[in-house]
Amino acid sequence: ATAQVTVEPSVVPALPQTVITGAEKVNSGQTFDVTMGLSSVTQSVYQNMYAMDLTLHYDPANVKFDTVTSLRDGFNVIDQKETVPGQIRIVAASVGANQGVPAIGNMLNFKFTVKSDTKATDTTVSAGDVVIANGEGNELQINGVSHKLQISISVDKSDLNAAIASAQTKHDAAVEGNGHGLYAVGSKAQLQSTINEAQATAN
């Protein structure tokens, strides 16, 4: 007698997770947004969310926190408090007769401004201590997440580009030779070399 046995791999359900999306490269002085949401909240008793509590973390030496807004109708930010520099505790909840919101997808939008004196560096925005609650007041801990951003220095190159263009125009109009009013032989090549170096710096 023969028997065929089929072994199915066990499926491990994904853990509830916080998700942050947004800009990955920003310039000094620039305003930017990051969006926070939830994924993999599969337990039926928590799929309808009535409240959320989290702590937003960022580097106050590099960026300034501006605002937080809800992306769901009837689900409002009811409290925000800076516990220490770079950490803001945020509480959002359903208001009025609202019956909660689905605990999946984008929830909150955070607006920041990169400080104008920030040097080129990397920084992170993260959400931790994330807890959601259902209509019965039961709470579910959600895994936190970090979002990395690259900060570049914003430089005004208009004066440099204007100087390069002016020098190139003078170079192109110049005539080399030994006569009166002519430039020394070889001087145009030296000027062009300098213009090329300046262009490389601008690029």
Side-chain angles (χ1 to χ4, degrees):
T2 61
Q4 182 176 346
V5 178
T6 302
V7 179
E8 296 287 348
S10 60
V11 178
V12 179
L15 295 175
Q17 182 70 45
T18 306
V19 179
I20 292 182
T21 57
E24 296 181 355
K25 293 183 179 181
V26 291
N27 293 324
S28 57
Q30 179 181 345
T31 298
F32 66 94
D33 295 87
V34 294
T35 299
M36 193 213 84
L38 301 175
S39 68
S40 302
V41 181
T42 57
Q43 292 177 257
S44 59
V45 294
Y46 292 107
Q47 289 179 1
N48 206 31
M49 179 177 65
Y50 282 73
M52 173 190 290
D53 187 348
L54 65 99
T55 300
L56 183 68
H57 301 261
Y58 62 95
D59 187 350
N62 294 325
V63 300
K64 178 176 72 73
F65 173 77
D66 294 327
T67 60
V68 53
T69 54
S70 172
L71 300 175
R72 298 293 184 90
D73 292 336
F75 192 72
N76 296 349
V77 175
I78 60 174
D79 189 33
Q80 61 182 76
K81 181 178 180 181
E82 185 178 51
T83 53
V84 297
Q87 293 186 21
I88 298 180
R89 185 177 180 184
I90 297 169
V91 178
S94 295
V95 294
N98 190 278
Q99 298 300 308
V101 296
I104 192 168
N106 294 333
M107 299 292 174
L108 301 173
N109 185 80
F110 306 109
K111 188 177 290 295
F112 295 89
T113 301
V114 183
K115 293 187 175 180
S116 58
D117 58 351
T118 299
K119 298 180 180 179
T121 186
D122 290 338
T123 192
T124 58
V125 174
S126 61
D129 302 319
V130 183
V131 177
I132 64 173
N134 61 15
E136 286 70 46
N138 299 317
E139 296 182 346
L140 176 67
Q141 186 81 34
I142 308 291
N143 288 336
V145 69
S146 294
H147 180 70
K148 185 177 180 180
L149 300 99
Q150 182 182 57
I151 298 176
S152 301
I153 299 175
S154 179
V155 178
D156 183 358
K157 298 186 288 186
S158 57
D159 289 344
L160 175 58
N161 288 328
I164 291 171
S166 176
Q168 189 66 61
T169 299
K170 291 177 181 178
H171 169 277
D172 296 344
V175 178
E176 295 181 346
N178 296 321
H180 180 70
L182 302 179
Y183 289 91
V185 176
S187 60
K188 288 185 66 174
Q190 293 178 4
L191 176 57
Q192 187 62 58
S193 177
T194 302
I195 291 172
N196 293 344
E197 291 178 5
Q199 189 63 62
T201 299
N203 293 341

